Amino acid sequence: MSTDSKTSITERPSHHANSSATLFRNPWEEPEETSFSNWQLPTAPGWPGLPFEWAKEFAQHSHKPVEVVKPTFGSERSDAVKATWLGHASFLVELPRASPKETTIRILYDPIFSDRAGPSQWTGPRRRLPPPCKLEDLPEFHFVVTSHNHYDHLDLPTIQSIHKLRGSNVHFIVPLGNKTWFKSSGIPSDRITELDWWQDVTLRIPDSKPSSPSSKVRFICTPAQHQSGRGVNDRRTTLWASWVVEQVIHSPNLPTRKVSVYHAGDTGYMTSTGPCPVFKEIGEKYGPFNISMLPIWRGGTLSFIARMGLRLTDHGLTSAVHATPAQALLIHQDLKSQHSLAMHFATFAGSNVEAFEPIVELTSEREKLNIGDWAEEGGFGVIDIGETAEVDV
């Protein structure tokens, strides 16, 4: 290898796997960590050599399963962050206003309104729980944030419908390498902002007054431990990310307030050497967060196992890229999140048991750590699909 090549590799970011920013990696994991050939499968009762067992009902658990409710999108209050769960990793977040007269800023995360998460509506995991409303029933929103290009987070029919309905009134914010896909899907280039990890952009809502500082929102692309790909030949060729959103509120006769929101997208927590250190780094740089949205399950991944009446007995097989409920609680603490909401479960689950299991685990692990429900300071919990969580700022 030449000296020039060594210099190029040294200078590129640690999560870039080549010098052209067309291949990416999780810089905290060993290369063999996610290789099937290195997994040691434990033996489960009734399934020798396989990490499965017959699923068990959770009849004795006090928490209720997730339901789909008609959304109200929260109260008329202007002094709260409001997060409405639309299913899976999709949230509509409404930021506070400096005064009731100002335009309400809303951000749509990882929207998917299709019945299946796949390249067509005949392939891919099917929804177990429907969206709580139609896309056109959402109140006006100004920004769409995408975490990565897996089908359950980036849905072509939904993105095209958003552009058809909202046109130039919506701006798309995406991780590095994803802009090309959006352009090929019909989104104008000037309505797309693409960022690498730790980069940020400050955007103003369309038609807002330049004299209104509260109409500006800062988007920060932050790391996640995951991967990307929509086919057999494009694995890790576009970046995956979590997102920090910051807003400064300047209200008459009140102190200036900073609002911070975190959406994890999809992420694991454990590396080959221990917990992923980046969440503490995000918490130190941008926390505490008024509200965070964190995945607690593998979504539709391996949902076919649940449809067979089985359950996975070894979270270690997927925890490198999908946090467990217990690990999500540690991410919550690392981030210094004041209120956290669970996501990435139930919507594409393969059975009622699989939809409920993450809630049982989250509640059990939360009690061990003496962490309250989401509405309590420092709490982490579950809301229904269509329900809105409101947090004072």
Side-chain angles (χ1 to χ4, degrees), residues 44-84:
W47 297 85
L50 297 175
F52 310 134
E53 66 181 10
W54 293 113
K56 300 175 183 178
E57 297 288 344
F58 297 97
Q60 304 301 318
H61 199 268
S62 59
H63 207 292
K64 69 180 183 67
V66 164
E67 299 175 348
V68 179
V69 300
K70 184 177 180 179
T72 64
F73 304 106
S75 67
E76 296 298 319
R77 294 176 53 194
S78 61
D79 59 347
V81 180
K82 304 168 190 175
T84 302

Side-chain angles (χ1 to χ4, degrees), residues 38 104 155 170 233 253 272 302 316 360 387:
N38 291 303
T104 300
D155 180 52
V170 169
N233 296 319
N253 305 318
S272 59
L302 304 181
V360 175
E387 184 178 355

Side-chain angles (χ1 to χ4, degrees), residues 11-301:
E11 291 177 349
R12 73 175 184 238
S14 60
H15 62 286
H16 288 209
N18 63 16
S19 300
S20 58
T22 56
L23 190 65
F24 302 93
R25 60 184 292 268
N26 293 308
W28 317 281
E29 67 176 355
E30 296 296 329
E32 69 271 20
E33 182 178 0
T34 55
S35 170
F36 284 88
S37 62
N38 291 303
W39 283 348
Q40 299 297 315
L41 301 182
T43 300
W47 297 85
L50 297 175
F52 310 134
E53 66 181 10
W54 293 113
K56 300 175 183 178
E57 297 288 344
F58 297 97
Q60 304 301 318
H61 199 268
S62 59
H63 207 292
K64 69 180 183 67
V66 164
E67 299 175 348
V68 179
V69 300
K70 184 177 180 179
T72 64
F73 304 106
S75 67
E76 296 298 319
R77 294 176 53 194
S78 61
D79 59 347
V81 180
K82 304 168 190 175
T84 302
W85 190 25
L86 302 176
H88 202 52
S90 182
F91 272 86
L92 181 69
V93 171
E94 179 179 314
L95 299 179
R97 289 167 286 164
S99 73
K101 295 181 180 180
E102 289 205 353
T103 302
T104 300
I105 301 174
R106 297 186 185 91
I107 304 163
L108 184 59
Y109 292 91
D110 283 1
I112 175 169
F113 281 76
S114 293
D115 187 52
R116 287 185 180 271
S120 75
Q121 291 309 292
W122 296 274
T123 57
R126 183 187 292 275
R127 297 185 84 109
R128 173 184 163 273
L129 296 173
C133 63
K134 296 180 180 179
L135 179 61
E136 53 265 34
D137 294 332
L138 295 179
E140 183 181 16
F141 55 90
H142 309 90
F143 304 104
V144 175
V145 174
T146 295
S147 63
H148 63 297
N149 74 352
H150 283 162
Y151 286 104
D152 55 329
H153 294 257
L154 182 57
D155 180 52
L156 176 61
T158 300
I159 295 299
Q160 290 180 327
S161 295
I162 288 171
H163 179 57
K164 182 178 179 180
L165 286 167
R166 307 290 183 177
S168 61
N169 291 320
V170 169
H171 198 94
F172 296 85
I173 300 102
V174 304
L176 189 62
N178 287 282
K179 186 172 183 176
T180 299
W181 182 93
F182 277 80
K183 289 170 61 179
S184 69
S185 302
I187 311 301
S189 180
D190 64 349
R191 306 313 301 163
I192 311 164
T193 294
E194 182 181 75
L195 299 176
D196 199 354
W197 285 356
W198 305 117
Q199 291 181 338
D200 68 277
V201 64
T202 298
L203 299 172
R204 189 183 298 275
I205 60 174
D207 302 323
S208 62
K209 298 178 180 179
S211 60
S212 175
S214 299
S215 66
K216 295 189 297 184
V217 184
R218 183 186 181 206
F219 295 88
I220 306 159
C221 183
T222 47
Q225 183 170 294
H226 201 57
Q227 54 191 1
S228 65
R230 294 172 75 84
V232 295
N233 296 319
D234 68 339
R235 187 170 181 264
R236 300 193 179 210
T237 58
T238 62
L239 189 59
W240 50 96
S242 60
W243 291 92
V244 173
V245 169
E246 293 183 341
Q247 179 196 34
V248 177
I249 304 292
H250 301 272
S251 300
N253 305 318
L254 288 174
T256 298
R257 293 164 292 162
K258 177 184 172 183
V259 178
S260 296
V261 176
Y262 179 78
H263 186 279
D266 198 0
T267 187
Y269 185 65
M270 296 305 297
T271 73
S272 59
T273 58
C276 178
V278 78
F279 300 103
K280 283 190 175 181
E281 186 176 359
I282 294 170
E284 291 294 331
K285 286 185 175 182
Y286 305 112
F289 293 99
N290 299 91
I291 194 165
S292 301
M293 293 145 281
L294 307 177
I296 65 169
W297 204 245
R298 54 187 176 266
T301 305

